[in-house]
Amino acid sequence: MTPAPFPAARLRRLRRTRALREMVQEHGLSARDLIWPVFIRDGENVEEPIASLPGVSRLSLDRMLKAAEQAHSLGIPAICLFPYTDQALRTETCEEAWNPDNLTNRAIRALKSELPDMMVMTDIALDPYNANGHDGFVVDGEIVNDQTVEALVKMGLAQAEAGADILGPSDMMDGRIGALRMALEAEGHSDVAILSYAAKFASGFYGPFRDAVGAGARLVGDKATYQINPANREEALACVARDLSEGADMVMVKPGMPYLDICRAVKDRFQCPTFAYQVSGEYAMLMAAAQNGWLDGDKVMLESLIAFKRAGCDGVLSYFAPRVAAALKG
Ligand code: PBG
């Protein structure tokens, strides 16, 4: 649309009242757009705050179920589980990752029996189980690809077996989507969806998450040999194309706020279900500023999330999810 010259066109006419502004609002945010990432741990009746994520705690499964029920009643359709694995169970061979009775798989079963309508998403990567904090096996100082993919497939199958609705491979190994999709088909899990962490960048914004799952202090080196260089856009789009061609149903861009250009490019180029992860560091910086009284917390929370919708995302993983849903209701 080319506006008429001033004064025939005065763009402020439609900003004059709240009703006018709402009539011409282009994008909307609803609880339906949200996936809530939740940290789980062993124990009973435990809620353990995470210092670098104000307002977020590691929850024992009983507390997690209560929180999930609340979130579901606020209209949040999906929860994404991240385990704080007992430190004694972290090894270089990561067997706990595909143990059918590990913390995540027990949580999936509990959720599906108590709240069958809530979608349960999981994370596929070895870092919460790995002695050295990496997403893949480390052999002679290198993160090996193909051996890791075999382990990730076992991990994903165990989660599907436990009842997960959506699998989220976050490891950035090559070939994992195809291998996982074929294995799911072969094992009778053809309805399990894959939301691939397709465009996942080697970011500094994951710091508080690594504290939350207890992998940060263990991490040797960085993840730059498998996650994408933050300077690269074409490479990110190539990763998305590759994952879609291998059988991903939905794709994710991660982190979110510093990568909205990638979200828009993915939606425009592939027209597929597109998600963003507003990661731990993004949440932490908004919360820290709000707690200091430097920003209006609710306002920037809602503004940061509508930005994802404007950038073309169908939904967002956000630690703010229940607070957003409550704010939208109020
Ligand atoms: C691990 C994983 C990470 C996140 C989700 N899955 C961290 C990483 O890659 O180091 C980050 C989420 C967040 O920061 O909120 N595979």
Side-chain angles (χ1 to χ4, degrees):
M1 169 180 126
T2 320
F6 177 84
R10 286 183 186 269
L11 295 174
R12 288 184 56 189
R13 278 185 206 120
L14 298 182
R15 298 182 201 136
R16 186 173 57 87
T17 71
R18 174 192 266 272
L20 284 168
R21 289 191 295 272
E22 287 181 355
M23 281 171 64
V24 298
Q25 177 165 327
E26 297 174 37
H27 297 280
L29 177 67
S30 106
R32 277 195 313 271
D33 301 320
L34 303 169
I35 299 176
W36 185 29
V38 172
F39 298 103
I40 50 177
R41 50 156 292 158
D42 263 315
E44 242 172 84
N45 206 20
V46 190
E47 193 163 334
E48 182 183 25
I50 301 155
S52 53
L53 284 174
V56 178
S57 298
R58 301 182 191 108
L59 304 176
S60 55
L61 298 192
D62 50 345
R63 291 280 187 115
M64 179 277 288
L65 281 174
K66 286 208 187 85
E69 251 163 63
Q70 243 169 5
H72 193 54
S73 72
L74 285 167
I76 295 171
I79 188 171
C80 183
L81 299 170
F82 291 100
Y84 177 90
T85 308
D86 190 334
Q87 293 288 348
L89 294 172
R90 299 178 196 227
T91 63
E92 283 182 17
T93 40
C94 307
E95 305 80 21
E96 184 63 10
W98 52 92
N99 174 358
D101 291 316
N102 71 17
L103 185 57
T104 298
N105 293 331
R106 281 183 277 127
I108 299 168
R109 283 196 204 91
L111 276 163
K112 292 317 292 185
S113 86
E114 299 290 315
L115 270 180
D117 292 341
M118 186 164 220
M119 295 295 99
V120 178
M121 175 172 168
T122 57
D123 190 77
I124 304 182
L126 300 180
D127 52 328
Y129 309 95
N130 206 339
N132 51 55
H134 275 290
D135 293 19
F137 292 124
V138 182
V139 177
D140 297 332
E142 278 189 27
I143 291 82
V144 296
N145 195 87
D146 301 11
Q147 248 169 288
T148 298
V149 169
E150 279 175 35
L152 296 171
V153 167
K154 286 194 271 183
M155 184 177 177
L157 282 177
Q159 294 170 349
E161 203 59 50
D165 299 288
I166 306 167
L167 304 183
S170 71
D171 53 285
M172 291 301 283
M173 298 297 120
D174 286 320
R176 89 266 206 226
I177 301 298
L180 182 63
R181 174 55 74 208
M182 288 304 124
L184 289 169
E185 287 291 329
E187 300 297 323
H189 299 297
S190 50
D191 287 337
V192 172
I194 299 177
L195 169 43
S196 170
Y197 287 65
K200 177 168 177 177
F201 292 87
S203 173
F205 286 99
Y206 307 147
F209 173 95
R210 293 179 190 167
D211 298 339
V213 299
R218 288 175 172 271
L219 186 65
V220 181
D222 61 29
K223 302 193 178 185
T225 69
Y226 46 108
Q227 301 178 345
I228 304 170
N229 177 347
N232 292 358
R233 173 186 140 105
E234 290 309 319
E235 185 187 352
L237 295 173
C239 288
V240 170
R242 190 262 319 263
D243 286 4
L244 288 170
S245 77
E246 291 183 12
D249 304 286
M250 309 175 261
V251 295
M252 188 201 295
V253 174
K254 179 188 175 188
M257 283 152 51
Y259 296 88
L260 290 176
D261 59 320
I262 309 291
C263 298
R264 171 48 66 195
V266 167
K267 193 60 174 180
D268 285 349
R269 198 171 298 183
F270 302 103
Q271 280 123 33
C272 63
T274 302
F275 289 77
Y277 198 144
Q278 182 179 50
V279 300
S280 56
E282 303 177 58
Y283 173 89
M285 67 184 180
L286 295 181
M287 286 298 287
Q291 286 183 333
N292 273 295
W294 298 337
L295 290 173
D296 175 335
D298 269 348
K299 198 166 169 132
V300 295
M301 168 182 82
L302 293 169
E303 184 179 335
S304 68
L305 287 162
I306 196 72
F308 290 107
K309 299 298 298 294
R310 196 190 61 238
C313 292
D314 298 287
V316 188
L317 285 88
S318 174
Y319 300 97
F320 285 120
R323 186 167 154 195
V324 174
L328 291 172
K329 214 164 207 174

